[in-house]
Amino acid sequence: MPPHHVAWWRPLFLIALMPIGVFGNLEGDALFAFRQSLIDSSNVLQSWDSTLVNPCTWFHVTCNAENSVVRVDLGNAGLSGTLVPQLGLLSNLQYLELYSNDLSGVIPVELGNLTALVSLDLYQNNLNGTIPDSLGQLSNLQFLRLNDNSFTGNIPVSLTTITGLQELDLSYNDLFGEVPTNGSFSLFTSISFVGNKGLCGAVVGKQCPGQPPFSPPPPHTATPPLPPHTATPPLPPPSLPPDTTPSPY
Ligand SMILES: *[C@@H]1O[C@H](CO)[C@@H](O)[C@H](O)[C@H]1NC(C)=O
Ligand SMILES: *[C@@H]1O[C@H](CO)[C@@H](O)[C@H](O)[C@H]1NC(C)=O
Ligand SMILES: *[C@@H]1O[C@H](CO)[C@@H](O)[C@H](O)[C@H]1NC(C)=O
């Protein structure tokens, strides 16, 4: 018997295993790595059991019909600890809600791989370091709220290319440098940036060092005088009708 007949069924067997293998272990392992970097003093992550085939039954985790994680909802959950690069493996993640905890450390550049992300809410934590340029790759992002942390450095101009960005809150950090005004940033006002002492530019009403002052408003030019009123030329005297009065004679 030729050797290729021996294992003809193996490809079928592998295909049968795929629904478990594709997302389950990878995404469960990624979230479990996150759990291990956290201090969970309120035990909200007790159901995060790495021996299950996928994380879809874990509390605070939502999956789609293909058992791939689409939401992580851990806002206001009493968590401290750090984010992990493995979160960047959740390729279908749409909502990463981690606001109002006590998370510290930096945003891993790998979060820029979460291209399905619609909402990234990390506000009200103790995160620091710079906002990674890679977040500009989050082309489906609509809500980016990083306010009330300790982020430093410039606002990455890459964020201006996220065309669907509707809400941006970078307020109350330690950001500095010029606030971009182009692309998606044309929508945002000073409310998105208040509480960062080092930011400058037209949006925050503060001149950037070494840059010319904001272009002054155009000088108030008086309305040009109207052209002199040209009098309507007098009408020619009405031509008298020819005298047709019959002569009395
Ligand atoms: C994830 O992001 C990192 C850094 O941005 C990059 O080097 C890596 O190739 C990405 N991985 C995937 C699977 O896209
Ligand atoms: C961020 O804060 C941690 C303490 O939480 C500190 O060890 C680290 O050096 C800080 N990193 C940056 C880039 O400021
Ligand atoms: C905004 O301007 C910066 C350069 O100042 C550029 O790198 C960026 O691509 C621009 N964004 C858009 C959306 O054109």
Side-chain angles (χ1 to χ4, degrees):
M1 189 184 265
H4 67 270
H5 281 180
V6 174
W8 62 270
W9 44 268
R10 279 199 183 153
L12 299 180
F13 193 66
L14 288 176
I15 288 165
L17 285 175
M18 273 173 66
I20 297 170
V22 171
F23 296 122
N25 288 335
L26 182 72
E27 297 192 349
D29 288 353
L31 284 174
F32 198 73
F34 184 36
R35 180 188 177 170
Q36 288 181 307
S37 81
L38 295 172
I39 299 157
D40 174 22
S41 47
S42 315
N43 287 322
V44 298
L45 305 178
Q46 233 165 6
S47 65
W48 288 29
D49 176 353
S50 64
T51 67
L52 297 177
V53 290
N54 65 45
C56 300
T57 56
W58 299 359
F59 289 170
H60 314 292
V61 173
T62 308
C63 291
N64 63 14
E66 284 77 47
N67 288 336
S68 180
V69 176
V70 293
R71 295 189 67 111
V72 173
D73 286 287
L74 286 167
N76 211 355
L79 299 170
S80 55
T82 62
L83 303 173
V84 294
Q86 288 92 325
L87 288 170
L89 296 170
L90 303 172
S91 57
N92 290 301
L93 190 67
Q94 296 177 358
Y95 294 83
L96 183 56
E97 304 300 323
L98 298 172
Y99 55 86
S100 304
N101 285 293
D102 193 23
L103 300 173
S104 56
V106 303
I107 299 181
V109 290
E110 289 80 1
L111 293 203
N113 291 346
L114 297 175
T115 51
L117 212 57
V118 169
S119 175
L120 178 58
D121 280 326
L122 302 177
Y123 58 89
Q124 293 173 356
N125 279 288
N126 285 310
L127 297 166
N128 66 359
T130 58
I131 299 173
D133 279 348
S134 64
L135 297 192
Q137 298 164 33
L138 303 176
S139 56
N140 288 301
L141 204 62
Q142 293 175 25
F143 306 96
L144 177 59
R145 289 173 284 225
L146 305 179
N147 51 289
D148 299 274
N149 281 287
S150 300
F151 293 118
T152 53
N154 294 292
I155 298 174
V157 289
S158 62
L159 298 181
T160 63
T161 65
I162 307 175
T163 51
L165 200 58
Q166 286 172 27
E167 209 172 311
L168 174 73
D169 198 340
L170 303 178
S171 63
Y172 302 100
N173 280 292
D174 295 315
L175 298 169
F176 64 84
E178 187 165 9
V179 178
T181 54
N182 60 338
S184 60
F185 275 52
S186 63
L187 286 180
F188 306 125
T189 64
S190 60
I191 294 169
S192 298
F193 309 106
V194 293
N196 290 277
K197 288 195 200 87
L199 287 179
C200 63
V203 181
V204 291
K206 194 173 142 196
Q207 188 185 330
C208 292
Q211 285 209 357
F214 306 135
S215 47
H220 180 72
T221 48
T223 321
L226 287 170
H229 179 71
T230 49
T232 320
L235 287 170
S239 50
L240 292 168
D243 187 2
T244 55
T245 314
S247 152
Y249 303 103

